[in-house]
Amino acid sequence: MDLPNRAQVVIVGGGIVGCSIAYHLTLRGCTDVVLLERKQLTCGTTWHAAGLVGQLRATYNLTRLAQYTTSLYASLEQETGQATGFRQTGSVAVATHAARLEELLRGASMAKCFGLEVQTLTPGEIGELWPGVHTGDLVGGVFLPKDGRTNPIDTTQALAKGAKSRGARIFENTKVEEILVENGRAVGVRTAQGVMRADTVINCAGMWAHELGAKAGTTVPLHAAEHFYIVTEPMEGLSSNLPVLRDPDGCAYFKEDAGKLLVGWFEPVAKPWGMKGIPESFSFDQLPDDLEHIEPLLTAAMHRTPALAKTGINLFFNGPESFTPDDRYLLGETPEVRNLFVAAGFNSIGIQSAGGAGKVLADWVIDGHPPMDLWDVDIRRCMPFQRNRRYLKDRTVETLGLLYAMHWPFRQPETARGVRRSILHDRLLAHGACFGEVAGWERANWFAPKGVKAEYAYSYGRQNWFDYSAQEHMAVREAVGLFDQSSFAKFLVQGPDAERVINQICANNIAVPVGKIVYTQWLNVRGGIEADLTVTREAPDRFMVVTAAATQVRDFTWLQRQIPQDARATATDVSAGMAVLSLMGPRSRELLATLTDADLSNAAFPFGTSQTIDLAYARVRASRITYVGELGWEIYIPTECAPAVFDALMTAGEPFGLRLAGYHALNSLRMEKAYRHWGHDISDEDTPVQSGLGFAVAWDKPGGFIGRDALLSQRQQGVNRRLVQFALSDPAHLLYHNEPIWRNGVIVGRISSGMFGHALGQSLGMGYVENSAGLADKDFVMAGRYEIEVAGVKVAATASLVPFYDPSSARIKGAAPTATTIAPASGQ
């Protein structure tokens, strides 16, 4: 069969993911699909995968995708006639200490939100389920009976057969040398056999995806690492129905394999591979053994399954797999090149992810948008610096082991740090800052007092920084706090058509006087929230957009792609040019007044306005806005002037009780005010109507806005899910995310984000409450009796549709302080 000159879709890479995408494209009716594989199907990573098919993932939508994968694999053999070896024998995860058990129990609680069957086990029950396992040091475990396993090669062949039966064409031994890009769009590929034009190109090249993507000018941050497992000689009495056993504290998994035992590891210090590129000849290859590297983990595996010590090893296997900087795979259209999609970097969960990932990417290609919130794996979360090979190598040393490490709340990566630093970094460090990382930015999460080491001691309870962050929180509530928020992404939209363009993109009205700040969302045509940000009108033809550091690439890409080609307007990312200091608290006005001659009164400088003022020796933009619910200003400073302004504020702030505050305090403060966080509380699946943000929508502004029709329809019909704030009755329990919300004994949702509210003295959370039988209106929400399940324990909770703290927002308006008490549980 000759290579065609063109196709509607070209898929590069014949692993299980590429074949799944081809399968699902044809299932949707897109049959002009060509898949190109450099050697043979599965020859890169797929062929040597362990074939585990787990269903419970870290988030709701990723779990939905894993559940879909399971159902797909269960039906593939019947559809295609190709055996897959898929069986649902279940999986059991075990814990050797209380913290690991809490992690497993929190996961078990989360599983209930997804309808997954899950059982908690005692050590004795683990021994009955998995005969021969050593249980003497175990404290418990969790069993998922519907988890499965499959043969990776056979399953891939079944997907390929299904795709071909509906018209897809697959070419092996056809290397793609280059993805062709013209005018910012992918238009085809160049192979050794010639050029093939295409409307869409999908990079599923696995370990080769980074290099192939870089040639096309895109960022595909992944790096191969050595991955080890052994297969024993036949073991007497090893049942073929044994569930997969995961011992994360031993970094190991165990699987029966044709009467033998397969044991694999995710070691804490991994071995990156392929730093100088992957050999051209690589196909079904094995890497050299390294028994010394894996010996300590092999010893631990013998402890967990003593029979292993008495059984010979038939195969010691070492093969490469790809890992990303955050252990989440890469999916979606690249921000740099239109019509170029990526599905790669599956972090050793490619088999259990392939079905769902293939389905949603096929939907994305055909429909022009993702079918659900995929931010966790969206390639637009990646920063340009992350294609750096040295960075990827250094981070990969850590990321492989993180799959089985403790998934602590607030855990920070330890490798490849210090990529992006505020100009104030050293000053914050000198004041005891403990830094976390977001999008490469080093950001002060909390400040250690003198004599205390600024490092995390992780737990599921109140961590070592809890009291220090509480003091920062209360300084903002009672006096004044200073945050370095220089990591904000900042874009300028300017030109004669700037107002028309930005007003069409924003749901709120941006046709406001110069100096006005507008809080708004950017919506898609379905009414879903693509971005949550502020827009400041700096001049008649110039607007400044301020958004989160984590969504810098995503939001800037969305902005650029919504500007009509014939519009006289441009968008420029100016993030690096300005530092941002946020001065917040009831005494912020008094402090600021000592350093400027500007009139800061309510009359002269009302909430929601921005002015250029002199501050210390600098000329800055002061914006009276808040994310903490207090009187305060965000101060935008030319980067070169920021250190002097910081020093002046710190010196002048002493009489006013000024305290440096970090991002943990920012999070707890915003939670008391029920301020939403994009990526947790709101996403492209949620609308302003569902999330209580209808006040930020200019329903009738001239010209309308993107998503208006969908939003109007939803407002008219009502919604069956609504974002609600909760306060636990017992402050000993902490909320993080994905804890089940029970209403009158029935699960109606899950917590989207949580934090302890220090001014209120209670654990707080937000989450969507769903009414499966009708509308989630005020009467439905407030009539319920609520409990939040935390690690298997149901805790009574108060629900509210208004913020628990200062529900009238009198404090941000500069009025007299109000009591810090919980608001009545009402929707008024």
Side-chain angles (χ1 to χ4, degrees), residues 111-399:
K112 297 175 185 177
C113 297
F114 314 138
L116 286 180
E117 185 179 344
V118 59
Q119 303 169 20
T120 57
L121 304 175
T122 65
E125 291 168 332
I126 293 169
E128 293 175 5
L129 192 63
W130 223 94
V133 68
H134 174 66
T135 62
D137 58 347
L138 298 182
V139 295
V142 166
F143 178 49
L144 288 158
K146 298 300 183 182
D147 278 1
R149 48 186 175 159
T150 198
N151 182 301
I153 294 178
D154 290 346
T155 304
T156 303
Q157 293 292 349
L159 289 166
K161 186 175 181 180
K164 288 190 288 186
S165 71
R166 289 186 290 271
R169 291 166 287 179
I170 295 177
F171 294 84
E172 296 180 299
N173 299 305
T174 306
K175 180 185 176 182
V176 172
E177 298 172 341
E178 180 185 7
I179 296 170
L180 302 177
V181 178
E182 296 175 3
N183 299 318
R185 292 179 177 269
V187 296
V189 296
R190 184 187 308 279
T191 75
Q193 285 88 343
V195 169
M196 179 188 293
R197 308 287 289 189
D199 299 324
T200 300
V201 178
I202 306 177
N203 180 356
C204 301
M207 295 181 290
W208 295 267
H210 174 276
E211 181 181 357
L212 187 66
K215 287 181 180 179
T218 63
T219 299
V220 186
L222 55 81
H223 199 293
E226 300 182 29
H227 181 56
F228 300 86
Y229 64 77
I230 61 167
V231 179
T232 69
E233 300 286 351
M235 293 181 71
E236 187 176 346
L238 199 63
S239 170
S240 62
N241 293 319
L242 273 180
V244 172
L245 174 67
R246 291 184 174 90
D247 178 15
D249 296 322
C251 308
Y253 60 89
F254 304 77
K255 184 190 83 163
E256 182 276 337
D257 187 8
K260 306 169 186 177
L261 187 64
L262 183 152
V263 186
W265 295 278
F266 293 99
E267 66 275 22
V269 180
K271 294 181 65 180
W273 180 77
M275 282 73 74
K276 297 181 179 178
I278 299 168
E280 175 64 28
S281 61
F282 192 92
S283 175
F284 298 111
D285 285 351
Q286 183 172 340
L287 303 181
D289 293 348
D290 190 347
L291 184 58
E292 182 180 356
H293 178 73
I294 215 70
E295 188 173 16
L297 296 181
L298 178 58
T299 301
M302 293 176 180
H303 167 77
R304 185 59 57 219
T305 53
L308 181 60
K310 305 173 185 177
T311 307
I313 296 177
N314 183 55
L315 173 67
F316 190 104
F317 187 85
N318 178 13
E321 298 196 15
S322 296
F323 294 84
T324 64
D326 58 7
D327 270 338
R328 290 177 281 152
Y329 53 89
L330 307 171
L331 209 64
E333 188 179 23
T334 67
E336 302 95 344
V337 178
R338 299 299 304 262
N339 301 338
L340 174 54
F341 289 77
V342 173
F346 279 83
N347 303 286
S348 214
I349 58 165
I351 307 303
Q352 66 187 25
S353 302
K359 179 184 187 304
V360 295
L361 194 68
D363 291 342
W364 197 336
V365 169
I366 292 171
D367 299 330
H369 61 82
M372 61 174 71
D373 171 25
L374 294 171
W375 176 238
D376 288 311
V377 293
D378 194 322
I379 195 168
R380 290 174 294 176
R381 76 186 186 276
C382 302
M383 297 292 142
F385 76 85
Q386 290 182 304
R387 74 167 71 175
N388 181 294
R389 287 185 178 274
R390 181 177 178 184
Y391 164 85
L392 290 170
K393 173 182 177 292
D394 292 348
R395 177 58 65 85
T396 301
V397 170
E398 177 184 16
T399 50

Side-chain angles (χ1 to χ4, degrees), residues 50 53 63 66 110 153 192 201 231 363 371 431 552 574 609 639 676 693 713:
V53 187
T63 299
M110 183 174 70
I153 294 178
V201 178
V231 179
D363 291 342
H431 281 90
Q552 179 178 354
V574 296
T609 63
T639 299
R676 282 63 166 153
L693 295 174
S713 175

Side-chain angles (χ1 to χ4, degrees), residues 383 385 412-413 417 420 436-443 445 487 548-551 663:
M383 297 292 142
F385 76 85
Q412 303 298 324
R417 292 287 296 270
R420 306 170 81 184
E437 184 211 48
V438 171
W441 279 102
E442 295 293 325
R443 308 198 307 186
N445 278 347
S487 62
T551 56
Y663 274 82

Side-chain angles (χ1 to χ4, degrees), residues 511-549:
V512 295
V514 172
K516 182 69 177 173
I517 308 167
V518 180
Y519 170 59
T520 187
Q521 285 78 46
W522 291 348
L523 309 180
N524 53 47
V525 294
R526 303 169 304 285
I529 301 171
E530 292 285 344
D532 181 68
L533 42 78
T534 63
V535 178
T536 301
R537 185 163 206 163
E538 295 188 336
D541 61 350
R542 187 175 72 249
F543 299 82
M544 181 171 69
V545 176
V546 178
T547 189

Side-chain angles (χ1 to χ4, degrees), residues 574-597:
V574 296
S575 301
M578 287 177 282
V580 182
L581 288 172
S582 291
L583 190 71
M584 297 288 158
R587 304 200 70 183
S588 58
R589 179 185 280 126
E590 297 174 72
L591 168 52
L592 207 56
T594 67
L595 296 172
T596 181
D597 55 6

